[in-house]
Amino acid sequence: MTAVAIDGPAGAGKSSVARAAAKRLGYIYVDTGALYRAVGLKFLKSGADTTLNCDIQSVLDNTVVEIKFINGEQRVMLDGNDVSDEIRTPEASKMASAVSAKPQVRAFLLEMQRKAAADNNVIMDGRDIATVVLPDAEVKIYLTASAEVRAERRYKELIEKGADVSLDEVLSDIINRDNADMNREIAPLKKADDAVLADTSDCSFDESVELIVGIIKERVE
Ligand code: DC
């Protein structure tokens, strides 16, 4: 089985680029952020807020998160229900970020991620895939773009959806998230020493996919 680990900051286009690259190569794409989002949703449903002033382990002891692949597409199950759409709300995003800083939550999701890579040829994306989850992955990529470029891409998406935001707001949100992800105590976002740096600041979506597919082919074939 071949494992490709792709890490990088929020808004770098990891998921869409990784999904397209996986399709091209016939690999399964595993989005680990969705697992943190499912756990975040569970805490939201349990009545917790982002301070997580609750007994985290006892909530986890009553939580079942599963990944399923339907026609090659990942679905995420929480306590037997498909929550793949529900985890995309802004509330679930905030809770995902809060729970992802908790060691109990990271431990809870670790084996599930490793098992997904043991059973399939995968491209797995997240924040700590190359550094913690799959340190022996055949290919490690750190996919990034400048904060300004990521903010512009996100801003365009939000405006298309009819949101009322300014570019400055989106940029400061991205910078804050980078700081939170890179400076948390446990499994912080960082480039693994042996990861290839892929900076897509000057790339279109198609060029980004080409870049990633090229890096993978060079190392695997
Ligand atoms: O990639 P995303 O936005 O769906 O991730 C949701 C949250 O989970 C985000 O705050 C970062 C966190 N996360 C993480 O800590 N480790 C991962 N491997 C994937 C996501």
Side-chain angles (χ1 to χ4, degrees):
M1 294 297 155
T2 299
V4 177
I6 303 188
D7 296 297
K14 284 192 310 290
S15 330
S16 40
V17 170
R19 182 180 287 110
K23 209 168 210 169
R24 281 265 298 276
L25 295 164
Y27 283 30
I28 282 194
Y29 164 60
V30 183
D31 166 13
T32 62
L35 304 176
Y36 288 92
R37 287 168 179 271
V39 173
L41 187 64
K42 175 65 176 244
F43 280 83
L44 208 55
K45 285 179 191 285
S46 316
D49 61 29
T50 50
T51 60
L52 292 173
N53 267 333
C54 57
D55 184 345
I56 292 175
Q57 195 56 51
S58 87
V59 175
L60 293 175
D61 288 344
N62 292 296
T63 300
V64 180
V65 173
E66 295 160 287
I67 313 180
K68 286 197 173 162
F69 295 98
I70 297 175
N71 298 328
E73 281 289 315
Q74 173 180 315
R75 308 297 294 178
V76 178
M77 315 294 290
L78 171 63
D79 300 331
N81 300 310
D82 188 331
V83 292
S84 310
D85 298 321
E86 219 181 321
I87 56 173
R88 299 292 158 194
T89 62
E91 292 73 28
S93 298
K94 286 200 187 89
M95 280 303 267
S97 176
V99 299
S100 73
K102 298 290 178 192
Q104 300 98 313
V105 173
R106 304 204 75 86
F108 177 74
L109 294 174
L110 186 60
E111 279 318 309
M112 191 182 315
Q113 296 169 80
R114 288 190 175 150
K115 186 163 186 317
D119 295 344
N120 306 288
N121 286 329
V122 293
I123 296 187
M124 187 175 285
D125 97 31
R127 305 293 191 284
D128 62 338
I129 308 305
T131 50
V132 177
V133 179
L134 304 176
D136 298 327
E138 282 80 355
V139 187
K140 298 180 178 182
I141 298 171
Y142 189 81
L143 183 71
T144 190
S146 72
E148 288 72 20
V149 167
R150 286 184 281 133
E152 255 166 51
R153 289 176 187 162
R154 182 86 188 115
Y155 173 71
K156 275 190 198 146
E157 269 172 28
L158 290 168
I159 293 294
E160 272 166 26
K161 284 187 192 154
D164 177 24
V165 285
S166 72
L167 181 56
D168 277 353
E169 276 170 336
V170 179
L171 179 59
S172 78
D173 182 48
I174 290 229
I175 292 171
N176 287 339
R177 272 203 283 171
D178 283 359
N179 282 336
D181 279 354
M182 291 172 186
N183 296 313
R184 70 178 174 216
E185 231 160 82
I186 176 159
L189 169 67
K190 63 167 190 247
K191 181 185 160 303
D193 292 338
D194 51 352
V196 180
L197 179 70
D199 187 329
T200 64
S201 300
D202 298 320
C203 298
S204 67
F205 174 73
D206 288 345
E207 287 166 346
S208 305
V209 177
E210 281 308 320
L211 179 66
I212 298 308
V213 168
I215 293 170
I216 297 171
K217 281 190 168 164
E218 205 178 284
R219 278 158 185 77
V220 172
E221 286 166 12

